Amino acid sequence: MTSPLKVPFYRHQLGNIEQKAISESLTREILSSGYIGEQVESELRDYFKVNSACLVNSWTNGALATLITWGIGPGHEVIIPAMTFVACANIVEVLGAKPVFCDVDPFTLLIDLEHLSELVNEKTRVVMPVHLYGQMVDIEAVRMIVGNSIYILEDAAHSFESTFNSLRPGSLSDAAIFSFYATKNISCGEGGAVISNNEIFFDELRQVILHGMSVHAKDRFKGGVFKSWDVERLGVKANLPDILASLIPSQLRTISTKLDRREAIAQFYSEALYKFSDIIKLPKNHGKGTHARHLFPIWVNPSHRDKVVSILIQSGIGCTINFRSVPTLSFYSKKYPEFNNTCIESQKWGEGVLSLPLFPTLTLLEMEYVVDVIIKQVVPILTEPGV
Ligand SMILES: *Cc1c(COP(=O)(O)O)cnc(C)c1O
């Protein structure tokens, strides 16, 4: 049977305006990180009201460079919520430090502050709260727990538009990092940004993202004078080329109207699924700020999850799993068996979660179709006894 409609998981909106911007970037002398990126960084500083912003070629490389700048390595522990994308743990592991997994609150799915306070010890160097699905963690509360000698790195990959008590990411932490990956609320295919109010950290970070070099390419010939460069520290390659940065300014101008659409779609789904709340669970909104509505996850009984995913896919509806609990992934459960039973809520959520399509150009017809398939095909399965 062919499905009457195809609803992709995500549909990007980059079009004529971005085509023009990318063509314009090709007329410039610098194809790598140059003046277009500098302009975007200044717009990001204004948007987030922070002292410093630096474009990077992914969240992952930006976060890796941040941890390198802070000197994270063997003997150090980095606390991350178990319910997150695996990149959070991978960057810690790559540096030879130890990821320590913290459970999440069963209602909001955000880092569990009580468990966090039990995990902090003299080896802890960084805690990495994740603003999961677009809902912000209370960073002030995290700071109260960890004090000033432990770095707070906000994983803001889902939370470009989010606020908590009117504050945006980057206000109270040591660094907040965004992702501009293909499906994120702002995207340039692959990319990201690091923001911070700590300018000393930032001067070092700018070197670390470019091999540790002291003078970046675009500054080497400033004012017609050649500036020599040195390498004062170890670095990686994490800068964003201007070709990709050129895709961002137009999206900054439309971000708030797109968020209104995301919110309306989330409300539509929530209202349509409300009467099934005993079998289809949704994360709870803590109500203390703006939700960026990056994803719309639902939770079903784990014994039916894979069946539900295949019904949606067969009906032409794109869906994904965000996320499996990181300590249950083979690599981590083998390497760190001590976390096999310490993040129960995260594990439970990860075994039953799946994300529905949510993007600004999703039409009413498409939303109604998704809900129709859930009511007619998914709900009957969920009311059968488990296997
Ligand atoms: C997408 C994502 C990342 C990784 O972003 P990249 O830009 O692809 O490196 C990190 N954390 C979370 C929570 C994400 O969703």
Side-chain angles (χ1 to χ4, degrees):
M1 194 183 79
T2 54
S3 56
L5 210 58
K6 266 211 172 318
V7 185
F9 179 68
Y10 182 74
R11 190 191 290 135
H12 77 74
Q13 276 176 275
L14 305 185
N16 291 339
I17 295 172
E18 290 75 20
Q19 263 174 20
K20 266 180 75 181
I22 222 166
S23 304
E24 208 273 326
S25 80
L26 298 179
T27 67
R28 307 275 184 124
E29 197 178 347
I30 296 173
L31 293 180
S32 181
S33 304
Y35 301 106
I36 297 174
E38 254 180 27
Q39 181 56 36
V40 174
E41 287 171 353
S42 126
E43 290 184 37
L44 292 175
R45 283 196 300 272
D46 292 344
Y47 184 89
F48 292 104
K49 299 189 175 61
V50 290
N51 295 335
S52 312
C54 178
L55 290 172
V56 286
N57 57 14
S58 67
W59 181 97
T60 304
N61 282 339
L64 182 65
T66 298
L67 295 184
I68 290 172
T69 307
W70 290 340
I72 305 308
H76 298 154
E77 293 185 358
V78 176
I79 301 177
I80 64 178
M83 179 43 56
T84 186
F85 184 53
V86 68
C88 298
N90 285 352
I91 53 170
V92 175
E93 196 60 35
V94 160
L95 291 175
K98 181 180 180 184
V100 169
F101 297 103
C102 184
D103 206 1
V104 293
D105 177 273
F107 301 106
T108 63
L109 289 315
L110 301 177
I111 192 164
D112 181 326
L113 297 180
E114 214 171 302
H115 193 200
L116 172 64
S117 60
E118 290 163 19
L119 294 173
V120 175
N121 67 55
E122 65 285 352
K123 290 185 192 151
T124 310
R125 289 295 177 280
V126 182
V127 55
M128 208 186 291
V130 178
H131 304 313
L132 197 72
Y133 307 137
Q135 177 157 243
M136 272 183 77
V137 173
D138 183 350
I139 299 299
E140 200 177 354
V142 172
R143 181 63 82 194
M144 298 267 278
I145 292 166
V146 304
N148 286 320
S149 56
I150 291 174
Y151 294 106
I152 299 177
L153 189 169
E154 290 174 80
D155 179 340
H158 296 181
S159 63
F160 195 91
E161 309 93 314
S162 311
T163 62
F164 188 97
N165 285 345
S166 309
L167 291 176
R168 292 188 184 278
S171 314
L172 302 172
S173 61
D174 297 282
I177 308 186
F178 302 96
S179 170
F180 302 143
Y181 172 70
T183 57
K184 298 284 158 61
N185 288 18
I186 285 191
S187 169
C188 58
E190 298 281 358
V194 184
I195 61 170
S196 174
N197 279 319
N198 184 337
E199 285 168 80
I200 298 167
F201 151 65
F202 237 79
D203 290 344
E204 296 173 3
L205 178 76
R206 284 199 179 277
Q207 297 182 2
V208 173
I209 67 156
L210 208 77
H211 312 293
M213 287 162 80
S214 54
V215 185
H216 283 205
K218 70 176 183 320
D219 299 323
R220 256 172 248 153
F221 298 96
K222 242 183 195 167
V225 186
F226 176 72
K227 281 213 195 85
S228 189
W229 53 270
D230 189 15
V231 171
E232 294 162 7
R233 64 188 76 247
L234 194 60
V236 291
K237 189 74 182 349
N239 61 306
L240 188 74
D242 270 11
I243 299 176
L244 295 181
S246 73
L247 299 173
I248 297 170
S250 58
Q251 297 181 67
L252 288 171
R253 285 190 279 282
T254 52
I255 187 90
S256 81
T257 50
K258 283 187 190 145
L259 180 59
D260 292 344
R261 274 299 297 155
R262 286 180 177 277
E263 182 59 40
I265 294 161
Q267 290 303 331
F268 180 92
Y269 280 145
S270 303
E271 281 161 30
L273 300 177
Y274 183 74
K275 49 182 166 302
F276 309 107
S277 58
D278 51 334
I279 47 172
I280 298 176
K281 301 216 187 306
L282 308 180
K284 290 249 185 323
N285 205 331
H286 59 41
K288 291 181 187 151
T290 307
H291 195 309
R293 298 295 185 191
H294 172 53
L295 293 167
F296 195 89
I298 65 173
W299 186 90
V300 299
N301 188 314
S303 59
H304 297 307
R305 196 258 306 270
D306 291 351
K307 178 88 178 122
V308 172
V309 169
S310 62
I311 287 172
L312 291 173
I313 299 290
Q314 275 161 26
S315 306
I317 299 169
C319 62
T320 60
I321 290 169
N322 309 96
F323 299 96
R324 289 172 207 273
S325 186
V326 178
T328 68
L329 301 172
S330 298
F331 175 84
Y332 287 101
S333 78
K334 275 187 203 135
K335 178 143 190 197
Y336 300 109
E338 68 261 43
F339 298 115
N340 280 355
N341 294 304
T342 59
C343 299
I344 300 302
E345 299 299 343
S346 172
Q347 180 168 349
K348 198 171 138 200
W349 182 259
E351 286 169 353
V353 72
L354 61 126
S355 301
L356 301 180
L358 170 59
F359 49 86
T361 59
L362 194 66
T363 64
L364 182 61
L365 198 71
E366 290 172 326
M367 287 188 271
E368 285 172 342
Y369 176 64
V370 172
V371 168
D372 194 57
V373 169
I374 292 176
I375 292 176
K376 296 210 177 102
Q377 299 185 55
V378 172
V379 167
I381 283 174
L382 296 177
T383 43
E384 282 167 13
V387 283

